[in-house]
Amino acid sequence: MKKIILLTLIAVLYFQLLHSQEVTLRFQPQKGQTFTYSLLSEGTVTQSAMGMEQVVSSKTEARYSYFIQNVTPDGNVELIVSVDTVKTKVKTPMPGLDTTLVLPLGFRFKQILDKYGKSVSFEIIESKEVQLPGGMSRRIDKRNYSHSVVFPEKSVKVGDLWDFAYTDTTAGDEGKTIVKTSGKYVFNGIEEKNGVKCAKLNLNANFSLSGQGVIQGMNYGLEGDGKSVGDLWVDLGTGLVVHSETETEMNMAMGITGQVEMTFPMNQKFKSIISLLGAVK
């Protein structure tokens, strides 16, 4: 009986401790700091055309960094994001292809965020397209490397959730794509991750995309929607992501007009892991 009472008391104390964790989350790195990240993304793209289905598997490894160029008195953070090299392995059974591409991209952009992590502005500083086999080119999707975690204005306790929504527009020589994202975060408590004291957040988001442009002389249009779920560990001191593990699925249709008119339904499934290399200083 005494053991049962003791175990019950321990469980009650643990529950009270867990739910007494209350934090105020802010995006507040210091001017002059540099943070280096690794990205690992693996998945498949299933494409249907003319009654045939093709599955393309890919694995992408990238390294990128944030340099905190300035922090204003009202808390806006100006960071320079640099993506130096992306290594992508692509495999498809038809036509038989199994190759690895190492792309020295030299892509840099400036992102300004407020103290809640909301985007204030975005500006491309340097962008180099790399020619791929078949005459195609590789263009960076800045969403893979931008800080996108939005924090609530109030303090949160374990189990609290908050909504977020934003629109991201990417434009270039090939065309324009608009992605609208909305979802929620749930605060799951304080944990240590990679030697850093973090807030663990659960992500559940939906998004839609639309776009149009010209590729290899043909007009194209894009429509699609998808969902992302996963967990993120955010440094309590800086508000930067220390580690994240997410899964994304998207259904999309791409239509081509011109000399040839076709529609390609596609399904994409990816798992991504982002890690801060080294402890936050």
Side-chain angles (χ1 to χ4, degrees), residues 1-2 7 57 163-164 172 192 220 228 277:
M1 178 63 71
K2 289 182 179 180
L7 290 173
S57 302
D163 298 323
F164 67 92
E192 186 171 297
Y220 73 88
S228 292
L277 300 178

Side-chain angles (χ1 to χ4, degrees), residues 16-280:
Q16 291 177 340
L17 175 63
L18 181 65
H19 285 265
S20 67
Q21 293 180 332
E22 184 172 345
V23 297
T24 300
L25 299 171
R26 293 291 181 266
F27 187 66
Q28 52 188 10
Q30 301 300 307
K31 179 179 178 179
Q33 290 183 302
T34 299
F35 305 89
T36 302
Y37 285 91
S38 67
L39 165 68
L40 172 63
S41 180
E42 296 183 87
T44 59
V45 177
T46 303
Q47 178 178 298
S48 301
M50 299 189 304
M52 301 180 65
E53 185 177 272
Q54 179 167 275
V55 179
V56 179
S57 302
S58 69
K59 177 181 178 181
T60 296
E61 299 172 86
R63 182 169 292 198
Y64 61 99
S65 63
Y66 293 167
F67 172 67
I68 310 305
Q69 184 163 273
N70 192 30
V71 180
T72 65
D74 59 355
N76 282 359
V77 178
E78 181 179 306
L79 64 151
I80 305 298
V81 183
S82 300
V83 186
D84 298 319
T85 302
V86 175
K87 179 181 177 182
T88 300
K89 180 178 176 62
V90 180
K91 185 176 183 180
T92 178
M94 187 179 64
L97 177 66
D98 188 348
T99 187
T100 298
L101 305 170
V102 179
L103 308 176
L105 294 167
F107 182 73
R108 292 195 304 145
F109 61 90
K110 180 169 69 174
Q111 188 180 18
I112 298 179
L113 305 152
D114 68 13
K115 61 184 178 182
Y116 303 111
K118 296 177 182 177
S119 180
V120 175
S121 68
F122 164 83
E123 175 189 351
I124 294 178
I125 299 173
E126 179 186 8
S127 179
K128 297 178 181 177
E129 288 190 342
V130 178
Q131 294 301 313
L132 303 179
M136 298 186 68
S137 60
R138 170 69 180 258
R139 186 179 66 186
I140 276 284
D141 186 346
K142 70 178 189 292
R143 289 172 296 147
N144 293 330
Y145 309 101
S146 302
H147 177 89
S148 59
V149 184
V150 179
F151 301 130
E153 295 184 9
K154 298 181 179 180
S155 298
V156 291
K157 302 184 297 295
V158 174
D160 285 351
L161 61 87
W162 62 95
D163 298 323
F164 67 92
Y166 55 85
T167 299
D168 188 88
T169 301
T170 302
D173 295 338
E174 294 177 353
K176 180 178 180 181
T177 304
I178 299 173
V179 180
K180 296 181 179 180
T181 305
S182 63
K184 65 180 180 180
Y185 289 107
V186 179
F187 174 49
N188 285 340
I190 298 173
E191 292 185 5
E192 186 171 297
K193 192 71 172 179
N194 299 342
V196 181
K197 191 175 183 181
C198 297
K200 183 181 179 182
L201 310 181
N202 176 259
L203 168 68
N204 191 321
N206 297 291
F207 60 89
S208 63
L209 66 85
S210 60
Q212 58 184 3
V214 179
I215 183 169
Q216 293 185 312
M218 296 180 290
N219 296 318
Y220 73 88
L222 293 173
E223 294 288 342
D225 55 50
K227 186 177 185 67
S228 292
V229 297
D231 294 309
L232 303 89
W233 288 261
V234 176
D235 175 36
L236 289 172
T238 65
L240 283 156
V241 173
V242 171
H243 187 84
S244 70
E245 300 177 9
T246 57
E247 296 185 14
T248 300
E249 181 172 4
M250 177 172 61
N251 291 304
M252 180 175 67
M254 180 176 183
I256 295 176
T257 60
Q259 294 181 349
V260 178
E261 295 192 3
M262 299 183 68
T263 300
F264 301 93
M266 285 180 274
N267 174 268
Q268 299 185 28
K269 296 180 181 179
F270 284 92
K271 294 183 179 181
S272 299
I273 297 174
I274 292 174
S275 293
L276 179 64
L277 300 178
V280 178

